[in-house]
């Protein structure tokens, strides 16, 4: 599968969402085309009881985003969330345990350094493992 292609505006929107939510984690979905081009960012509310160290998308937000994706002919390319204190974002044990969408990539935004960092991962909840993957940023 080719790497996800994110438009620069998507990257800026995810970082902005993470900064607005800090010190809590933010979360959202990225819908796109079958050739892995990101088309739409869907912000979701984090409703976990421990938003400083975890995320859980509000079910009604998740269902609404998935319905909009179907209506637009998009597929789920990625799920993003933030690690507000991390300068080297990597999936936590909880992130791996709750990675229910094996075909989606997982983007984690780290805000702990002088610059925000976004890393992408393939996560297998079933096999309890993850690996970093590449993504591309385009100006289109």
């Amino acid at each position: 599968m080719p790497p996800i292609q994110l438009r620069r505006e998507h990257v800026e929107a995810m970082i902005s969402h993470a900064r607005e939510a800090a010190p809590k984690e933010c979360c959202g979905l990225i819908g796109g085309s079958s050739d892995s081009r990101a088309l739409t960012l869907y912000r979701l509310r984090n409703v976990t009881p421990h938003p400083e160290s975890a995320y859980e998308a509000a079910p009604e937000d998740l269902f609404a985003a998935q319905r909009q994706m179907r209506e637009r002919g998009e597929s789920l390319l990625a799920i993003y969330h933030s690690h507000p204190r991390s300068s080297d974002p990597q999936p936590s044990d909880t992130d791996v345990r709750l990675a229910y969408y094996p075909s989606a990539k997982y983007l984690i935004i780290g805000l702990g350094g002088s610059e925000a960092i976004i890393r992408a991962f393939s996560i297998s909840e079933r096999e309890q493992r993850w690996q970093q993957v590449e993504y591309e940023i385009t100006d289109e």
Side-chain angles (χ1 to χ4, degrees), residues 14-34:
M14 286 187 291
I15 292 170
S16 175
H17 188 189
R19 286 184 173 141
E20 288 170 27
K24 299 174 182 174
E25 293 190 8
C26 75
C27 58
L29 305 179
I30 301 173
S33 61
S34 59

Side-chain angles (χ1 to χ4, degrees), residues 2 4 38 52 58-59 75 77 82 87 93 103 105 118 130 133 138:
I4 292 176
E52 298 80 19
S75 55
L77 293 184
S82 59
S87 58
D93 291 343
S103 64
K105 300 299 181 236
I118 300 177
W130 55 268
V133 297
T138 67

Side-chain angles (χ1 to χ4, degrees), residues 46-64:
N46 183 356
V47 295
T48 185
H50 308 286
E52 298 80 19
S53 59
Y55 76 97
E56 177 184 336
E60 59 274 20
D61 292 2
L62 188 59
F63 297 138

Side-chain angles (χ1 to χ4, degrees), residues 2-99:
I4 292 176
Q5 296 175 27
L6 298 168
R7 291 198 310 256
R8 194 163 309 283
E9 67 190 66
H10 293 138
V11 171
E12 291 168 1
M14 286 187 291
I15 292 170
S16 175
H17 188 189
R19 286 184 173 141
E20 288 170 27
K24 299 174 182 174
E25 293 190 8
C26 75
C27 58
L29 305 179
I30 301 173
S33 61
S34 59
D35 64 354
S36 296
R37 281 183 305 119
L39 300 172
T40 312
L41 216 62
Y42 299 89
R43 282 185 174 210
L44 307 175
R45 287 176 295 134
N46 183 356
V47 295
T48 185
H50 308 286
E52 298 80 19
S53 59
Y55 76 97
E56 177 184 336
E60 59 274 20
D61 292 2
L62 188 59
F63 297 138
Q66 290 172 325
R67 185 176 59 251
Q68 287 180 305
M69 277 187 224
R70 277 192 305 276
E71 290 169 357
R72 293 173 171 160
E74 297 175 349
S75 55
L76 175 63
L77 293 184
I79 298 165
Y80 73 88
H81 75 282
S82 59
H83 285 181
R85 290 168 299 287
S86 177
S87 58
D88 182 23
Q90 297 186 24
S92 66
D93 291 343
T94 302
D95 293 339
V96 174
R97 191 176 72 252
L98 301 177

